[in-house]
Amino acid sequence: MKDFLISELQDNIPNLRELHALLTEIQKTGNAISQSELARIGSEAAAAASRYGKTTAEYLKAAQEAASAGYGNAADIAELSLAAQNAGNITAELANQYINATDKAYQLGGSVSRLTQILDGTQAIGSRNAIGMADLAEGMSLAGEYAASLGLGADETAASLSAIISATGQNGSEAAESLKAILSLIQQVTDEGQGIDGAGLARYANSCRALGVALEETHNGITSLRDPMDVLRNLSEAYASLTPGDTRGADLLASVGSAQGAEALAALLGDYGTYEKMLQDYAGGTGTLAAQAEISANSWEGALNRLSNTWVETMDKLAVSGAATSAINSLDGILSAVNRLIDGLGPLGTAGLGAGLLASFKNVGRDKTYSLFWS
């Protein structure tokens, strides 16, 4: 037993060093993390990681990223990141990027409940329409802030990107570029990066007018740009009514200025019903993230990670403040005493030892410990 404990402690030293180093890095982030939050991260690390079938190190790395991003509730953000990783089978880097970008785009102030609502809806669209969450998360990360600045909700952005990805096969980055270009044209915003200048905006506006769709509206004598999704809905209706040989549809697509953007616009206008169906999927997505994450957490790999977390936690508590030495020495002394007693008593005298041994074992390793897994 003594040799086993020593061997396990030695084998786990690299793991323990990594975990303590991560916690130290979290502590260095400054005022974003309170001492109580730091204590919570340390004490709940193994249990939180195990809930998602992840390792303790993966949880602490997520907490470190959250703390570095300025979240005071880093423990909760870290769990949300693990859930997103599990549910969408995406990398930690992409999950953190998606959470941070979404929080910033919609000014959520780190609200885990509101972030969960958005991730639920997005996950529901992806899982119900065979769209990879890696593409959708990337698209939301890149286009979310711009779309939000033009008045689109997270549901509209997710559904638009999903409709584009589903119909065109564009990846997340391409779909984000396409959507941003379409929105810029509708809102008459020049974009050098997209190659959209004043002349291009005029061509697009004229093409829309030719289809009977205005980009502006006037109320009480005040003229303003219309809601982008209302414009797209009207354009889809006009687009669907075109007869063969009518060039107005082709003119509209050509006015986008790029083949990729034209392909995306054709997808939205040609099947606007898909976009509306995805909006409904988003609205009915409550609980999707947790349900999908649980499937991964209960996998074979998840079960092994939970077992590893429990053992590393045990080794950590033994390793600090001399508790390991005390426990090993005490156990070694007890076993030596037992061996001497057995040798002296012979086979008939061993039966009564049980109660005394139990009492002795209760006092093993009673030293006060301070470890990563604070209690």
Side-chain angles (χ1 to χ4, degrees):
M1 177 65 73
K2 174 182 176 181
D3 290 341
F4 173 74
L5 285 175
I6 291 174
S7 174
E8 286 300 310
L9 282 169
Q10 289 175 336
D11 289 345
N12 277 278
I13 283 174
N15 290 334
L16 298 178
R17 281 178 176 165
E18 180 188 13
L19 300 184
H20 282 271
L22 285 168
L23 194 61
T24 299
E25 288 302 312
I26 296 171
Q27 192 172 18
K28 290 179 181 178
T29 56
N31 297 328
I33 297 292
S34 66
Q35 286 300 309
S36 60
E37 182 71 2
L38 186 65
R40 179 186 170 202
I41 291 170
S43 65
E44 296 181 1
S50 294
R51 279 195 290 273
Y52 300 95
K54 296 290 188 179
T55 66
T56 304
E58 287 173 316
Y59 168 80
L60 288 176
K61 287 174 183 176
Q64 181 187 5
E65 288 291 329
S68 297
Y71 289 105
N73 58 337
D76 293 329
I77 295 294
E79 287 204 45
L80 186 60
S81 174
L82 296 189
Q85 292 171 47
N86 268 8
N89 192 27
I90 60 177
T91 65
E93 180 181 5
L94 182 54
N96 295 333
Q97 176 188 341
Y98 181 25
I99 291 169
N100 295 344
T102 301
D103 185 44
K104 180 180 178 182
Y106 298 99
Q107 301 178 16
L108 305 180
S111 170
V112 171
S113 62
R114 296 179 67 187
L115 282 166
T116 300
Q117 288 176 350
I118 294 176
L119 268 62
D120 268 344
T122 308
Q123 182 68 40
I125 291 178
S127 61
R128 296 174 189 179
N129 296 278
I131 298 171
M133 274 306 300
D135 284 329
L136 194 45
E138 183 180 30
M140 289 289 286
S141 298
L142 296 175
E145 186 173 9
Y146 186 69
S149 73
L150 298 180
L152 269 69
D155 57 341
E156 295 172 318
T157 304
S160 297
L161 288 168
S162 298
I164 292 171
I165 293 170
S166 177
T168 68
Q170 293 180 13
N171 62 32
S173 176
E174 292 166 341
E177 278 189 31
S178 297
L179 180 59
K180 288 168 69 176
I182 292 168
L183 294 176
S184 294
L185 290 165
I186 293 174
Q187 292 290 283
Q188 296 288 279
V189 179
T190 60
D191 187 332
E192 292 183 6
Q194 295 277 356
I196 301 173
D197 56 16
L201 295 178
R203 283 194 298 273
Y204 187 82
N206 290 334
S207 296
C208 288
R209 277 194 289 270
L211 288 166
V213 178
L215 300 181
E216 299 175 336
E217 60 187 357
T218 302
H219 288 295
N220 300 322
I222 299 175
T223 300
S224 60
L225 290 163
R226 298 176 60 204
D227 178 87
M229 301 315 297
D230 287 343
V231 171
L232 284 173
R233 184 180 66 254
N234 292 158
L235 284 174
S236 72
E237 294 165 352
Y239 192 80
S241 68
L242 295 175
T243 58
D246 193 325
T247 62
R248 288 178 295 171
D251 291 342
L252 176 67
L253 297 181
S255 70
V256 175
S258 72
Q260 179 179 294
E263 180 185 44
L265 181 59
L268 287 172
L269 300 185
D271 191 1
Y272 199 76
T274 294
Y275 162 79
E276 293 178 318
K277 185 262 185 188
M278 290 177 174
L279 278 180
Q280 294 176 350
D281 290 338
Y282 182 103
T286 302
T288 302
L289 184 72
Q292 293 290 326
E294 186 177 4
I295 293 173
S296 295
N298 290 329
S299 67
W300 178 252
E301 181 181 2
L304 290 176
N305 283 338
R306 283 194 293 274
L307 181 61
S308 174
N309 294 339
T310 301
W311 188 241
V312 170
E313 181 180 12
T314 301
M315 289 297 101
D316 182 77
K317 288 180 177 178
L318 278 175
V320 295
S321 300
T325 302
S326 175
I328 291 170
N329 287 341
S330 297
L331 185 59
D332 186 48
I334 290 169
L335 293 177
S336 296
V338 169
N339 287 332
R340 288 194 298 271
L341 283 172
I342 290 175
D343 289 340
L345 292 174
L348 297 178
T350 59
L353 290 176
L357 285 176
L358 287 175
S360 297
F361 274 117
K362 288 180 181 179
N363 293 317
V364 172
R366 285 289 185 174
D367 295 351
K368 176 64 178 175
T369 63
Y370 296 89
S371 70
L372 168 69
F373 308 96
W374 297 337
S375 57

